[in-house]
Amino acid sequence: MVAMTREQRQARAAALLAGEAERRTRAQAEVAAATEQVRVAVLAARAAGITVRRTAELGGVSVDTVNRWTAEAAEQRARERLLSVQMAADPARRGHALALRVTETRVRAGQREVRLFTARPGEVAAVLRAAYKSGPTLWPTEQERQAAVAAAVEAGDPHPVDVAFGYLDLFARLLLHEPAEAWRQTLAPHLPPWGRGAALRGAEGARQVLDTVLAAAFGALAPGTVVLAAGELAIVTETHWRDTTVDAYVVMPADVRREARTVPADQVTAAD
């Protein structure tokens, strides 16, 4: 047996140490991933109403760990709600906040399935920001914004902020109801270069988002509501506003052979 030199022994020991350190790192990563999965499952169990003690038993963790994870999750949700509300109450960021609020929705009535909010959030946000910049300064005062944010955080709902910004949203919605040539010309100076070609796509989504927000603020039927329009089953896709009231709704009849049509508001009621 040939004796190893000092350098060979050091190289062998170094390789062994590096290998064990790498294995330990992988094991730590696996433990961290498994712990995160347990944490998610623990939070789901608590949300489902399973007691703290039973959750701890099932999850193989301590009661203190269950309570800590639950408190941390609640704090994180509170921070996210506050940031979301603050963004919605910032005139410069409100368009982005609204664009992120809704996701693509499919609504069925009779033979018809309608897809709503299909525009990309970035395109919707660009159109909304441009629309807000195109008119008079209708946003609330700083004091009114702070009061609306506080009320929204307490309620756990952005409705107080949407009410405070109702006239700004309404101006943007009325602007986007003009013929396309008119509002595209108005919005053009305020759109980023990449957004000018996407204005038509983003505008449809912006109208639907604004209709949803305004419906809650002023009491109307939001896009996606299944209704009886002049006695016919249909789905609301857009709203025609006159100030803070509704003139008419654009609806898609439940019969797939029928095209979208505009029906006076007094002939449209939510379906049972």
Side-chain angles (χ1 to χ4, degrees), residues 175-265:
L175 172 64
L176 293 174
H177 187 62
E178 297 293 335
E181 295 77 11
W183 60 254
R184 287 187 71 180
Q185 184 176 0
T186 302
L187 264 58
H190 307 290
L191 286 169
W194 63 265
R196 292 170 188 169
L200 281 174
R201 294 193 302 272
E204 179 182 6
R207 286 194 295 269
Q208 291 174 344
V209 169
L210 288 171
D211 282 343
T212 301
V213 174
L214 291 169
F218 296 119
L221 300 173
T225 304
V226 178
V227 297
L228 289 176
E232 181 180 26
L233 192 65
I235 302 169
V236 173
T237 58
E238 287 192 16
T239 308
H240 289 183
W241 294 90
R242 180 185 295 275
D243 294 328
T244 59
T245 60
V246 178
D247 264 354
Y249 293 99
V250 178
V251 301
M252 292 293 292
D255 188 339
V256 295
R257 295 168 295 181
R258 302 285 301 279
E259 298 296 325
R261 62 195 184 105
T262 301
V263 180

Side-chain angles (χ1 to χ4, degrees), residues 37-132:
Q37 291 175 345
V38 171
R39 188 187 73 86
V40 171
V42 162
L43 295 177
R46 292 295 294 126
I50 299 177
T51 65
V52 172
R53 185 169 297 280
R54 182 57 176 158
T55 297
E57 292 173 355
L58 292 171
V61 295
S62 68
V63 168
D64 287 344
T65 297
V66 173
N67 287 331
R68 175 168 57 82
W69 283 347
T70 303
E72 289 172 351
E75 291 173 359
Q76 179 62 27
R77 289 193 298 272
R79 286 193 296 269
E80 291 173 352
R81 284 196 299 269
L82 177 58
L83 290 174
S84 177
V85 169
Q86 288 175 331
M87 181 183 294
D90 182 347
R93 298 188 295 166
R94 180 164 177 77
H96 185 66
L98 295 186
L100 294 176
R101 188 180 295 181
V102 295
T103 57
E104 181 176 334
T105 302
R106 295 174 182 265
V107 182
R108 175 171 288 278
Q111 305 174 53
R112 173 88 65 179
E113 182 179 80
V114 173
R115 296 171 61 200
L116 299 168
F117 313 116
T118 58
R120 296 178 180 176
E123 295 172 349
V124 173
V127 170
L128 289 176
R129 285 195 299 267
Y132 291 150

Side-chain angles (χ1 to χ4, degrees), residues 6-22:
R6 181 170 179 272
E7 289 75 13
Q8 289 173 328
R9 289 197 301 273
Q10 288 179 342
R12 183 177 180 180
L16 177 63
L17 177 59
E20 292 302 320
E22 183 179 352

